[in-house]
Amino acid sequence: MASDSDPVKDLADEPVDHRFKGLPPDAQTQGLTVGQLAAQRRDLHTGGFTTPVLTLDADALEHNLAALGAYAARHDLAFAPHGKTCMSPQLFRRQLDHGAWGITAAVPHQARVYRAFGIQRIFLANELVDPAALRWVAGELAADPDFRFVCYVDSVRGVHLMDRALRDAPAVVDVVVELGAGEGARTGARTEEDCRVVADAVAATATLRLVGTGGYEAEVPDADPARVHAYLRRLTALAVEFDKAGRFAPDLEEIVVSAGGSAWFDAVADVFAELPELSRPTLKLLRSGAYVSHDHGWYTRLTPFNRHPEEGGLRPAFRLWTQVVSRPSPTQAFVNAGKRDIAYDLGLPGAELVRDALTGVERPATGVRVVKLSDQHAWLETDSADDIQVGDLVALGMSHPCTIFEKWPLIPVVEADGTVTDYVRTFF
């Protein structure tokens, strides 16, 4: 991946044009690049931005990056945040700067984006059976001795398909056996015996190397602390068993044990701390991803920091600024953002702030509620005719970072005083 240019920094050279929602039209007229627009440090509300426009709070973003980096270090966890959340090379770079081991992916396209921007360690949390993708991975491994790639296996058929695709490939692919979180959960071999059979299938190939065990505790049916801890102990016990039985590849420098979403990383820390010493060093790999922006609802309720406030906390970083474009009755209003702009898979957004169109004064959005979404409108219900007026700005808070990021290819990063200092590019 050696190159004279820095692909992350090169993003600043992109022209500001029609691809990017909410940015000042005059920036395109002037032929500005993203970097040049950032250098102008425009005010979000007076600098020509149009609505709707999604923003990231600069202070909250830095706080969240630091919080999970510190948490992982404090609990002796390696950290590979799930990149599917933001798909932003700039944020990947900042996650790595805060101590991340690498970045997790879910599908081959994401891994290709990561490699295009220089990511040297990728954990793909899926069984990868696509022949073209496997050959691409093997080519990347052969071309770059410093590149590390690990993915799941959870079936004998999957192992056979991977082996078939890789027989003429130039490199061996590292895999971990995924233990499913229970009957009715998502992916993963359902029992320890199933995992043993999958491990034996890997050992019978010359194309795959078994390096550890992995799983996803958020899929535990009827998850609660006891059930999640019990599942994670099964996962770590499987790693101990495999090590004692000599199932891991003999040339390994470290054994990988991986889990961790954004709702139970405290349980992962608890159980991984109990791991006994294995025959080789253990890479205890946490994969939480939603923390980077947090949210105003779903993860605000689920974050483990609610259970352990002494460990820190996260702040919602997103805010979607919309504008009232119709006020047909004293109890009804419409703003100019809907399903095309707003995440809604985990609940409707909430109205956070109102900014007066004439005075610029901001106030809490008391008495204003989002009750429905159309493609390009949010339906608001109001307590009184004076709550909002046509032209006023309404800032919305949303749930589920993954589906917020994906709707916005370039997102302004805003300081507390409203100054836009940077722009985050996404690749979905």
Side-chain angles (χ1 to χ4, degrees), residues 24 51 62 99 262:
T51 56
E62 177 58 27
S262 296

Side-chain angles (χ1 to χ4, degrees), residues 322-375:
T322 67
Q323 191 164 36
V324 179
V325 292
S326 181
R327 190 73 161 104
S329 79
T331 59
Q332 191 176 39
F334 294 86
V335 294
N336 60 346
K339 294 178 181 179
R340 303 297 175 89
D341 313 295
I342 296 170
Y344 57 93
D345 56 313
L346 292 179
L348 291 171
E352 300 286 325
L353 292 173
V354 174
R355 182 182 175 90
D356 189 280
L358 299 178
T359 67
V361 173
E362 294 181 7
R363 62 184 185 276
T366 305
V368 181
R369 295 168 295 280
V370 180
V371 295
K372 182 179 176 180
L373 297 178
S374 299
D375 280 353

Side-chain angles (χ1 to χ4, degrees), residues 78-81 96 99-105 114-115 118-124 146-150 254 283 285:
F79 190 28
L96 294 169
W101 171 90
I103 305 295
T104 296
Y114 300 179
R115 288 300 283 161
I119 302 301
Q120 288 294 87
R121 293 174 179 151
I122 298 174
F123 186 101
L124 195 146
D146 294 326
F147 175 43
R148 181 85 193 275
F149 178 89
V150 182
E254 61 186 7
L283 184 74
L285 196 60

